[in-house]
Amino acid sequence: EREREREREIQTEMVATATSTLLTSSLLPCLGLRGSTRSLQWRKKETQCTRKAGPSIITAKFELKPPPYSLNALEPHMSQETLEYHWGKHHRGYVENLNKQIMGTELDGMTLEDIVTVSYNKGDLLPAFNNAAQIWNHDFFWESMKPGGGGKPSGDLLELIDRDFGSFEGFIKELKSVASTQLGSGWAWLAYKANRLDVGNAVNPRPSDEDKKLVVVKSPNAVNPLVWDFSPLLTIDVWEHAYYLDFQNRRGDYISIFMEKLVSWEAVSSRLEMAKTRAVEREREEERRREEEEENTADGEPVEMYLDSSDADASETE
Amino acid sequence: MGWSCCNSLLPSNSHPLVTTKMSKVLKSSKLPHLYRQQRRELPGAQRASKAKAYHGLKTPPYKLDALEPYMSQKTLEMHWGEHHRGYVEGLNKQLEKDDILYGYTMDELIKVTYNNGNPLPEFNNAAQVWNHDFFWESMQPGGGNMPILGLLRQIEKDFGSFTNFREKFIEAALTLFGSGWVWLVLKRNKKQLAVVKTSNSVNPLVWDDIPIISLDMWEHAYYLDYKNDRGKYTNVFMNHLVSWNAAAARMARAEAFVSLGEPKIPVA
């Protein structure tokens, strides 16, 4: 009985940590935003703790998440056959391989996003990276599309697009060009860039809303903008397996059809909201931390700040 | 098969081993489709401007349906007719822009545009043109089986056994992530055969090694026939497609550049 209790504890702990990380990153109530409720549900279902017989090993396995529509729902723009192979074989393969790879290692039990950032290892990829990142990328990709998609975005998203790309057409042009020029396998992204410098005492002396902008980027193989600390909003899979059955080598046509008929602007908008709140939260935390530091050092001792390099040089040459 | 082999191994014009006779024959307009660099005659008033070197799309040494059922005609039509042709046309467009890369042979062009790991924009197209020429010639209808004589002996020497080489080759193909190629190369510095996998359009020429056979692991090479079943594709290549004749010819030529054993100095 104690074992069962412990198991329940661990399960709730895992769920709690998963949900708590999600909650800190989105202050908006999760009801009503299709995107975020889905991800909450997803987090809970995704990591399943299973008990193995014998010595108590708790393993967390990732599950293959189905797209939010049936496999033939994107016809005729993306055929059912493509979905069957792309999701049923490629995506499933990544999930199965990752589960095998992380079993019993320190990555076991971490959330998918954490595994991605940890195994990216600043570019020196660990073996789990390719599988983990590809799972994340494909989940994100299916959710970036919907039957009857396309059209134009609206509201905040359209405003930002107009501000950062000049016009919606300008944005489409850039995305198409970036996706077409990704050599080999990879992804094209629309991302929200509001990152901090990863340096201890670096502070943006003149922070402004303009620093937070939308960018279009491309990445090779399995890399995604999470590893650059961007917030991805939209992605197009330009691995050849994504379009070869439907378009053969006509990548340009595939990208056009994707933008005109498949992209789900609702998903993009809700991700933008989450990204914005996350950025604001981070700024607040940074301010808080800076204030704490100032308090700690505000006891009369002069803080040695290498602001003026010429002073330092002069003192060295003395 | 013989002449197409020799042609694909054509060394640069400045190479000491090329006799002037050979180069004259190949430069003559009687064999335009063999000679990869053609001087196009510009019409009329433009004749005063500089002539430009273009690269041509070379046809595979067999018909497009000759590799059925292991590699379908549809695949050849797409792979050669669209992808390979696209690379050739892309390269020609890029070379049109200025004269800096004028006059290079394909091998030189690849090494120069690779730029020691910081590839110039022309690298991708140039290398992919070369890679695909090499790939078509690495296959033949009724291929597969095993190499014989010298090449087999060398493989057994450097890998232990042919089976071991085959395993290593297939393993490299299956562990390659993303797009790329798998090669059997002769490494110049080690004087040994080795299996090498490269990403995207990189090929062993950039490290000054001599490729012997290659396998295209870009998804466009096998997706229409095998979808995601790379294992099947690689096995079919080894069993039914790889041309050990071409490999033997390349090996024989490579031995002129790399000494693989005791020199056979004839005794008077």
Side-chain angles (χ1 to χ4, degrees), chain A residues 89-90 185 240-241 244 249, chain B residues 83 124 179 219-220 223 228:
Chain A
K89 301 273 165 103
H90 290 270
S185 308
E240 283 172 329
H241 63 234
Y244 217 74
N249 76 319
Chain B
H83 289 269
N124 196 56
S179 306
E219 284 173 329
H220 63 234
Y223 214 75
N228 71 320

Side-chain angles (χ1 to χ4, degrees), chain B residues 158-159 165 169 183-187 190 192-196:
Chain B
D158 294 328
F159 291 97
F165 151 70
F169 195 84
W183 309 82
L184 171 65
V185 278
L186 178 63
K187 287 196 177 269
K190 291 207 187 126
Q192 263 192 345
L193 288 174
V195 166
V196 166

Side-chain angles (χ1 to χ4, degrees), chain B residues 72-88:
Chain B
S72 62
Q73 178 178 0
K74 181 107 206 296
T75 298
L76 262 291
E77 283 173 356
M78 288 303 316
H79 198 177
W80 174 76
E82 304 280 336
H83 289 269
H84 192 178
R85 192 188 301 274
Y87 291 127
V88 171

Side-chain angles (χ1 to χ4, degrees), chain A residues 123-141:
Chain A
D124 191 11
L125 309 179
L126 302 180
F129 177 77
N130 284 335
N131 287 321
Q134 283 293 76
I135 299 174
W136 193 95
N137 294 343
H138 282 90
D139 283 339
F140 197 81
F141 179 55

Side-chain angles (χ1 to χ4, degrees), chain A residues 10-165:
Chain A
I10 294 175
Q11 274 191 355
T12 44
E13 222 183 74
M14 292 221 66
V15 169
T17 44
T19 43
S20 63
T21 45
L22 186 60
L23 284 174
T24 48
S25 62
S26 71
L27 293 176
L28 296 171
C30 291
L31 306 167
L33 279 181
R34 186 164 159 273
S36 21
T37 34
R38 185 164 290 283
S39 3
L40 244 187
Q41 284 173 1
W42 169 55
R43 288 274 158 78
K44 278 191 191 145
K45 265 197 236 161
E46 189 183 85
T47 38
Q48 238 186 20
C49 294
T50 51
R51 247 343 196 53
K52 281 204 174 141
S56 39
I57 312 167
I58 315 267
T59 59
K61 286 173 98 67
F62 288 103
E63 285 183 356
L64 174 65
K65 193 168 158 248
Y69 36 76
S70 61
L71 295 188
N72 61 355
L74 300 179
E75 295 262 13
H77 314 298
M78 191 177 275
S79 64
Q80 178 177 357
E81 207 194 353
T82 298
L83 264 290
E84 281 174 358
Y85 277 97
H86 197 177
W87 174 76
K89 301 273 165 103
H90 290 270
H91 193 178
R92 192 188 300 273
Y94 295 128
V95 173
E96 291 173 356
N97 289 335
L98 182 68
N99 284 334
K100 272 186 238 150
Q101 267 179 325
I102 62 174
M103 192 155 62
T105 68
E106 63 202 3
L107 297 171
D108 203 345
M110 291 169 71
T111 63
L112 188 60
E113 283 196 20
D114 285 342
I115 297 184
V116 169
T117 27
V118 164
S119 58
Y120 182 68
N121 201 20
K122 303 211 173 128
D124 191 11
L125 309 179
L126 302 180
F129 177 77
N130 284 335
N131 287 321
Q134 283 293 76
I135 299 174
W136 193 95
N137 294 343
H138 282 90
D139 283 339
F140 197 81
F141 179 55
W142 304 132
E143 286 162 11
S144 302
M145 297 190 286
K146 67 165 194 195
K152 273 179 87 142
S154 55
D156 273 352
L157 178 57
L158 186 58
E159 263 182 50
L160 277 183
I161 286 180
D162 284 337
R163 185 194 80 178
D164 292 328
F165 295 100

